[in-house]
């Protein structure tokens, strides 16, 4: 790495890139940002529905001073995070934020955070100002944020196209990190994957994927739920979309359509409405990582139960009321709807009703909209978390038994230790919504409460910096040292970190969800 005034240059496998300093080079807290580095060729023309192709070498120095193009087009109005859309074809790019060179080349390699953004696999942007890595670089962590194909281009079934193109983008980006991050002062053997919402689901998918195991060391899943779209459902959706668009379900057929036309059709087909909500609860998203028998061999929890990823430390958690905002705007109109009626409509079994309402009495006292939102959160996020933890514990026993059996047969087997699992809840209520909703924890994780863009609309005025200090410090501790700082989630205690103010604390059990299991 060499510096030149306000710029800094780094050699990567494909050529030389130029980034920019933030702060005085060599000063305490200084860092450099390399934005929009292409890790693959632009997915256009013949490459539009193909597996990603590594970026060919370039001559001279490539400026990495501005965010690259995003697969997200326009403003889909889905996430509560400011995630700008940037036009252009070279959408398979990544951003690297790194401390100054004296914390890189001449010192031990630094831990690395690779962030995969959310947005339901149909929206989101690596160019969000909230994903800027400056707070992590201040604390000695190199940050990489990844752009990947979204929606039908990234995840839709096409008769003669490779499956899981967005997943293949993640894998190629991680291969790029493994090959090049040392040039930015990062340690390729200490890579933590993290993401929120669909990004949290993405890192759990990678945790359960055999082909990805060599690419990371640990995982942090924030409000993550895996999609595990079945091949049959993916094919049905692809054929139906092709029929709506009037084309054959092939690469040639879909290639006759503009991105905008496909986006319009997929948006209509995946819209979340009161009528589609029960199907979403039952079947999940129609676009996302798909069980294709090639990259993704089985549902993620089944892979974890088989021992895949058993040696990777894992932190995972949710906010207390991820999707309560679905009903919040109609709370007054819903006051007259009986709680039991709404919960039955949302799929709650009759025998579960009484214990669930008892376990969530305080939330139920606030009205039908609030208890409906809590149930959505529990069914979509928190019960999924507990199933993942249970599957992981089963898988660790399988892995340990296999290693012991090998040693009993006299076969050399690497000693395995049970990789820890930690669970948290983010409970601080937004000053806008009055509860801890989806996306609220992201600016606390990145310690960016001072961002001038979009913060008040999510948190309200004066969000607590001391809580950001706690959440961000736990993230740094996990990325750098492998332990976020609270007790592991094990039976029978099931210790759970609760992030709230005025004090964060550890609770035992996940009781409000248990009636649903």
């Amino acid at each position: 790495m060499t510096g030149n005034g306000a710029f800094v240059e780094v050699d990567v496998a494909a050529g030389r890139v130029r980034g920019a300093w933030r702060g005085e080079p060599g000063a305490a807290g200084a860092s450099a940002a390399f934005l929009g580095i292409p890790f693959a060729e632009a997915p256009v023309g013949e490459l539009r529905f193909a597996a990603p192709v590594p970026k060919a070498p370039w001559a001279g120095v490539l400026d990495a001073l501005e965010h690259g193009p995003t697969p997200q087009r326009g403003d889909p109005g889905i996430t509560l995070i400011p995630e700008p859309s940037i036009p252009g074809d070279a959408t398979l790019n990544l951003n690297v934020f790194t401390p100054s060179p004296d914390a890189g080349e001449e010192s031990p390699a630094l831990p690395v955070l690779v962030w995969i953004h959310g947005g339901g696999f149909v929206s989101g942007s690596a160019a969000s100002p909230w994903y800027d890595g400056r707070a992590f670089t201040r604390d000695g962590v190199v940050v990489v944020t990844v752009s990947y194909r979204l929606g039908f281009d990234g995840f839709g079934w096409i008769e003669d196209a490779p499956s899981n193109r967005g997943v293949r983008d993640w894998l190629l980006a991680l291969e790029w990190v493994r090959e090049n991050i040392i040039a930015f002062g990062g340690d390729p053997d200490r890579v933590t994957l993290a993401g929120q919402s669909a990004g949290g689901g993405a890192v759990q998918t990678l945790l359960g994927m055999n082909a990805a195991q060599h690419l990371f060391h640990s995982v942090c899943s924030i409000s993550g739920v895996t999609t595990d779209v079945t091949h049959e459902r993916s094919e049905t959706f692809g054929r139906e979309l092709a029929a709506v668009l009037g084309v054959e379900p092939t690469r040639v057929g879909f290639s006759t359509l503009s991105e905008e036309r496909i986006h319009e059709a997929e948006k209509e087909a995946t819209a979340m409405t009161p009528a589609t909500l029960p199907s979403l609860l039952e079947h999940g998203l129609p676009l996302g990582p798909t069980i294709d028998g090639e990259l993704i061999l089985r549902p993620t929890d089944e892979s974890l139960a088989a021992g895949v990823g058993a040696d990777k430390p894992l932190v995972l958690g949710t906010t207390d009321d991820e999707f309560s905002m679905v009903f919040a705007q109609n709370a007054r109109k819903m006051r007259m709807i009986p709680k039991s009626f709404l919960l039955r409509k949302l799929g709650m079994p009759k025998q579960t009703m009484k214990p669930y309402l008892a376990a969530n009495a305080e939330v139920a006292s606030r009205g039908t909209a609030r208890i409906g939102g809590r149930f959505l959160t529990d069914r979509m996020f928190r019960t999924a978390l507990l199933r993942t933890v249970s599957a992981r514990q089963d898988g660790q026993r399988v892995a340990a038994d296999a290693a012991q059996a090998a040693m009993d047969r006299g076969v050399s087997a690497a000693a395995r230790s049970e990789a820890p699992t930690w669970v948290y809840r983010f409970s601080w209520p937004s000053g806008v919504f009055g509860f801890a909703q989806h996306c609220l924890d992201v600016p606390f994780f990145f310690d960016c409460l001072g961002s001038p863009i979009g913060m008040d609309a999510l948190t309200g005025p004066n969000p607590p910096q001391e809580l950001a200090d706690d959440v961000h410090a736990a993230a740094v501790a996990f990325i750098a040292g492998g332990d976020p700082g609270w007790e592991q989630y094990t039976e029978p205690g099931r210790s759970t970190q609760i992030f709230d103010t005025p004090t964060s604390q550890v609770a035992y059990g996940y009781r409000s969800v248990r009636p649903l299991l």
Side-chain angles (χ1 to χ4, degrees):
M1 182 183 290
T2 60
N4 180 18
F7 301 110
V8 58
E9 296 179 1
V10 168
D11 288 312
V12 297
R16 194 166 182 82
V17 293
R18 178 182 293 123
W21 287 104
R22 286 100 62 86
E24 185 67 25
S31 64
F34 297 80
L35 306 177
I37 302 174
F39 65 84
E41 296 294 335
V44 297
E46 293 185 357
L47 297 180
R48 181 176 178 190
F49 298 113
V53 174
K55 178 65 180 175
W58 57 79
V61 181
L62 179 71
D63 277 338
L65 305 174
E66 297 180 353
H67 284 288
T70 62
Q72 176 179 273
R73 305 303 192 189
D75 180 8
I78 293 177
T79 76
L80 298 175
I81 298 170
E83 294 178 292
S85 295
I86 300 173
D89 291 335
T91 57
L92 299 184
N93 59 74
L94 48 77
N95 309 307
V96 180
F97 306 91
T98 180
S100 54
D102 58 2
E105 289 181 348
E106 298 178 4
S107 299
L110 299 172
V112 180
L113 166 66
V114 175
W115 177 260
I116 299 179
H117 69 75
F121 300 113
V122 297
S123 68
S125 165
S128 173
W130 291 9
Y131 303 153
D132 186 288
R134 67 178 69 238
F136 280 106
T137 60
R138 175 198 67 202
D139 297 325
V141 175
V142 176
V143 176
V144 180
T145 60
V146 176
S147 178
Y148 58 95
R149 279 174 284 185
L150 301 169
F152 195 80
D153 275 41
F155 299 96
W157 176 90
I158 300 174
E159 189 173 89
D160 54 348
S163 60
N164 283 312
R165 295 174 295 278
V167 177
R168 296 172 194 271
D169 296 344
W170 303 336
L171 291 173
L172 186 57
L174 289 172
E175 293 283 6
W176 186 98
V177 169
R178 183 152 192 84
E179 183 177 16
N180 294 292
I181 203 63
I182 195 167
F184 298 88
D187 185 345
D189 293 322
R190 285 201 293 164
V191 172
T192 296
L193 303 185
Q196 183 264 347
S197 193
V203 300
Q204 287 182 225
T205 295
L206 290 163
L207 177 64
M209 189 184 303
N210 296 72
Q213 296 303 300
H214 65 294
L215 297 172
F216 59 95
H217 169 267
S218 54
V219 170
C220 178
S221 175
I222 301 171
S223 301
V225 177
T226 54
T227 58
D228 293 332
V229 180
T230 65
H231 173 79
E232 294 75 18
R233 187 176 188 219
S234 182
E235 180 175 347
T236 297
F237 184 85
R239 290 188 182 279
E240 290 176 348
L241 194 70
V244 167
L245 292 166
V247 298
E248 291 296 313
T250 62
R251 292 176 69 171
V252 170
F254 281 108
S255 293
T256 63
L257 302 169
S258 67
E259 284 185 15
E260 292 73 19
R261 181 69 188 99
I262 294 179
H263 289 169
E264 289 171 5
E266 77 180 33
K267 186 175 181 179
E268 291 177 9
T270 59
M272 183 187 294
T273 67
T276 62
L277 193 52
S279 176
L280 177 64
L281 287 171
E282 182 67 25
H283 302 293
L285 300 170
L287 289 172
T290 301
I291 303 167
D292 59 3
E294 180 183 354
L295 281 180
I296 303 175
L297 307 180
R298 59 182 82 85
T300 295
D301 284 350
E302 289 185 18
S303 289
L304 298 181
V308 182
D311 58 338
K312 304 287 196 291
L314 171 66
V315 171
L316 71 171
T318 69
T319 67
D320 274 3
D321 290 280
E322 299 275 3
F323 273 13
S324 289
M325 57 191 177
V326 172
F327 297 124
Q329 61 184 353
N330 294 311
R332 291 178 64 86
K333 296 179 181 178
M334 295 176 66
R335 285 182 302 175
M336 303 305 294
I337 300 175
K339 300 177 182 66
S340 58
F341 176 82
L342 176 63
L343 293 175
R344 283 198 302 271
K345 284 291 186 182
L346 294 174
M348 178 177 285
K350 183 178 180 180
Q351 65 272 20
T352 303
M353 191 80 62
K354 186 174 180 180
Y356 185 79
L357 289 172
N360 292 275
E362 190 273 334
V363 174
S365 70
R366 301 187 184 187
T368 300
R370 283 297 304 276
I371 193 62
R374 173 60 62 89
F375 174 66
L376 283 181
T377 296
D378 287 348
R379 184 168 176 189
M380 296 180 68
F381 292 88
R382 296 175 72 190
T383 55
L385 179 152
L386 293 177
R387 287 193 295 270
T388 294
V389 170
S390 178
R392 179 172 163 82
Q393 291 169 340
D394 290 344
Q396 289 173 330
R397 286 190 286 269
V398 168
D401 290 346
Q404 184 61 53
M407 289 188 287
D408 290 345
R409 296 194 307 271
V411 177
S412 176
R416 298 182 69 97
S417 59
E418 182 177 304
T421 302
W422 293 271
V423 171
Y424 73 86
R425 287 168 44 198
F426 187 91
S427 300
W428 178 75
S430 161
V432 176
F433 295 92
F435 47 78
Q437 80 278 7
H438 201 54
C439 301
L440 181 61
D441 45 358
V442 172
F444 292 83
F445 179 87
F446 278 94
D447 190 12
C448 63
L449 295 183
S451 172
I453 302 175
M455 195 63 64
D456 282 359
L458 182 71
T459 65
N462 304 313
Q465 180 60 45
E466 64 271 24
L467 183 58
D469 294 341
D470 285 349
V471 174
H472 179 74
V476 171
F478 179 63
I479 295 163
D483 187 332
W486 66 88
E487 295 177 46
Q488 300 173 28
Y489 189 93
T490 56
E491 300 291 349
R494 304 191 301 274
S495 100
T496 301
Q497 173 72 19
I498 299 178
F499 287 112
D500 199 351
T501 55
T503 359
S504 297
Q505 58 184 312
V506 171
Y508 293 91
Y510 221 52
R511 293 184 181 85
S512 66
V513 186
R514 290 287 166 185
L516 298 180
L517 297 177

